[in-house]
Amino acid sequence: MYTDRLNMRTALICSTSLTILMGAAPVAAAEWDIGLGAYLEQSISYASYDSATASDFDGIDSVGSGEFYFLPSVTLDNGLRIGAHVELDGHVGERNAGADFDEAFVYVRGSFGEMLIGKSDTPGNHMSYGAPMGYGPPTDFGGISSSTLGSYIQFSGVHNNRRVGDDLIRGTLGSTHVTNMGEETQGRITYFTPRYAGFQLGLSYAHEEPNAVPNRQDFYDVGANYVNNFGGLDVGLSAKWGGADNRADPNANPEYWGAGANIGYGGFTIGSSWAESNGSSNRVTDGEAYNVGVSYQTGRYGYSFSYLHGRNVDNENASLGSRERLKAYTLAVNYYLTGQPERPAKPPRPGSDPAARYGTQAGVKVNLFGFASYVDFNEDVGDGGAGTRGDDVNGFVIGTGVKLMF
């Protein structure tokens, strides 16, 4: 029965795609537009933290990250835009160095909306609002929902030959950008409607093998947002939901919820977001998080302050009902050496243009930034189990850096 349902879904998706492409005329190779883009940012900072169970640290550290975009596209005679989005993401730090294809999908765009097929983030995360990081292209080091702080401060120790206690990105401990697997992307089929009266809806489906960790399949994700301007007051609202089947645990019903908002007037933007994940097997990924922040832009300068509070079930001790918690505060300053960023009055636009998700770039190529963050992490029980001391960590980071966009 399950296989029949899956085959029916696949047939429906294929027939819909064929219907969209019917009538398209062949195109010549010369008609392709090849877009290339990248950014690289590097910071150097002084970090200091105290750990209840591991070594304390005081010293200078450096963290870097970057992305490369390959964006071929072509417009057919019937007006459809067909293209690909390949995004290689890299990070260099003490905790989470590595590189992978963050997103890689093909898309079809037209008056019907937009369809994406391939490795892509959930529609809810594409369309979400939250604590602002300042205007123009965002600096990850000033983003409260990024994993950068985990590169400077070791939130937990080593347990069973792996680092634990830092579910920072796509998990509710350190981010509101949650997903059902705690991962950023996976192969999925996504559809975004056109925007009507300020509203837009995104839907996606992904299938995973039933024996794949963590034994989930049939992922359904929904995202929506609304944007409008009322006499100079810019309003952006977003919401998301996702559910999946856990084939290994019939008692599990994994799902997540989230919402966010931005309100901007003049140079100011205030924003907040919330997310909750529950129903996972043995509650190992259950938790909730929220953030709140304010930013101000004047000329080439941008300032922001944000706060995040996250709480997860401690996955190493889920059977004990223990929790792990993270509080983080970040003050960030941006100065744009080239160009002058504009406050993004519209929400992140899904699709093939990564710059459009970050607001108007307006010639910004070089961005200097500085930030100061304080972190307080604690666990009810240590990673060794009942009777062991929690891997509590608190500390701060003060740093500066540069971001190049080309």
Side-chain angles (χ1 to χ4, degrees):
M1 180 68 69
Y2 171 77
T3 303
D4 293 340
R5 294 198 305 268
L6 179 59
N7 290 336
M8 290 177 63
R9 294 191 192 104
T10 304
L12 178 60
I13 291 168
C14 291
S15 63
T16 302
S17 300
L18 289 173
T19 300
I20 292 171
L21 294 173
M22 284 182 63
V27 294
E31 296 175 347
W32 281 89
D33 294 326
I34 305 298
L36 297 174
Y39 80 81
L40 178 66
E41 58 187 352
Q42 188 73 46
S43 75
I44 184 168
S45 304
Y46 176 79
S48 176
Y49 62 83
D50 299 323
S51 173
T53 58
S55 300
D56 297 344
F57 178 82
D58 291 280
I60 303 293
D61 202 356
S62 178
V63 174
S65 68
E67 289 185 345
F68 172 80
Y69 310 107
F70 177 58
L71 310 169
S73 63
V74 64
T75 301
L76 306 183
D77 289 345
N78 61 3
L80 291 179
R81 188 77 172 175
I82 298 178
H85 176 122
V86 181
E87 184 176 318
L88 180 64
D89 180 72
H91 188 89
V92 180
E94 291 291 330
R95 301 297 310 283
N96 51 356
D100 62 3
F101 284 102
D102 190 37
E103 294 190 282
F105 57 83
V106 297
Y107 67 88
V108 182
R109 185 185 305 150
S111 59
F112 66 92
E114 187 168 20
M115 177 176 288
L116 282 54
I117 303 176
K119 191 173 188 284
S120 168
D121 208 340
T122 64
N125 283 338
H126 273 300
M127 306 170 77
S128 63
Y129 286 97
M133 295 180 288
Y135 304 139
T139 298
D140 289 342
F141 299 96
I144 199 68
S145 281
S146 86
S147 61
T148 305
L149 292 179
S151 295
Y152 286 111
I153 299 179
Q154 184 172 315
F155 295 118
S156 190
V158 176
H159 180 61
N160 292 336
N161 298 316
R162 64 188 181 90
R163 297 193 183 277
V164 294
D166 53 357
D167 306 321
L168 295 180
I169 189 76
R170 303 306 189 265
T172 52
L173 182 63
S175 176
T176 58
H177 297 155
V178 298
T179 65
N180 237 318
M181 287 187 68
E183 296 181 356
E184 294 190 28
T185 53
Q186 56 186 330
R188 66 177 68 246
I189 299 172
T190 304
Y191 170 67
F192 295 98
T193 69
R195 188 171 295 279
Y196 295 109
F199 289 95
Q200 187 177 36
L201 179 68
L203 308 167
S204 76
Y205 167 78
H207 175 69
E208 290 288 323
E209 294 300 323
N211 60 349
V213 177
N215 297 310
R216 299 177 186 175
Q217 65 182 40
D218 286 343
F219 293 81
Y220 297 93
D221 296 273
V222 180
N225 62 19
Y226 169 79
V227 58
N228 214 330
N229 180 279
F230 303 93
L233 182 70
D234 293 315
V235 176
L237 307 174
S238 63
K240 58 188 175 184
W241 171 86
D245 293 333
N246 190 316
R247 311 300 289 181
D249 185 353
N251 296 319
N253 183 29
E255 62 179 353
Y256 67 86
W257 301 84
N262 272 181
I263 298 177
Y265 185 81
F268 287 94
T269 297
I270 60 173
S272 179
S273 62
W274 156 86
E276 178 178 329
S277 178
N278 53 54
S280 62
S281 181
N282 297 318
R283 304 175 62 218
V284 294
T285 60
D286 289 8
E288 59 277 337
Y290 67 88
N291 61 36
V292 62
V294 59
S295 67
Y296 176 67
Q297 175 73 32
T298 174
R300 294 188 176 185
Y301 288 92
Y303 309 88
S304 65
F305 177 77
S306 51
Y307 166 75
L308 179 137
H309 182 276
R311 185 178 70 163
N312 267 5
V313 169
D314 187 348
N315 55 338
E316 290 79 39
N317 297 286
S319 61
L320 302 176
S322 62
R323 296 272 184 167
E324 51 188 7
R325 302 169 183 83
L326 175 68
K327 297 179 181 179
Y329 308 79
T330 295
L331 175 67
V333 179
N334 291 284
Y335 176 70
Y336 303 95
L337 287 176
T338 60
Q340 182 170 319
E342 300 175 11
R343 179 165 54 83
K346 295 184 178 180
R349 181 175 68 84
S352 61
D353 184 1
R357 301 178 193 171
Y358 305 149
T360 303
Q361 294 212 33
V364 173
K365 301 298 181 183
V366 181
N367 172 29
L368 301 180
F369 60 87
F371 67 98
S373 299
Y374 174 78
V375 171
D376 182 12
F377 170 80
N378 65 81
E379 292 180 323
D380 294 338
V381 179
D383 297 331
T388 61
R389 188 178 182 183
D391 299 307
D392 299 350
V393 176
N394 65 80
F396 66 89
V397 182
I398 299 175
T400 186
V402 60
K403 181 173 183 176
L404 308 179
M405 289 149 281
F406 44 90

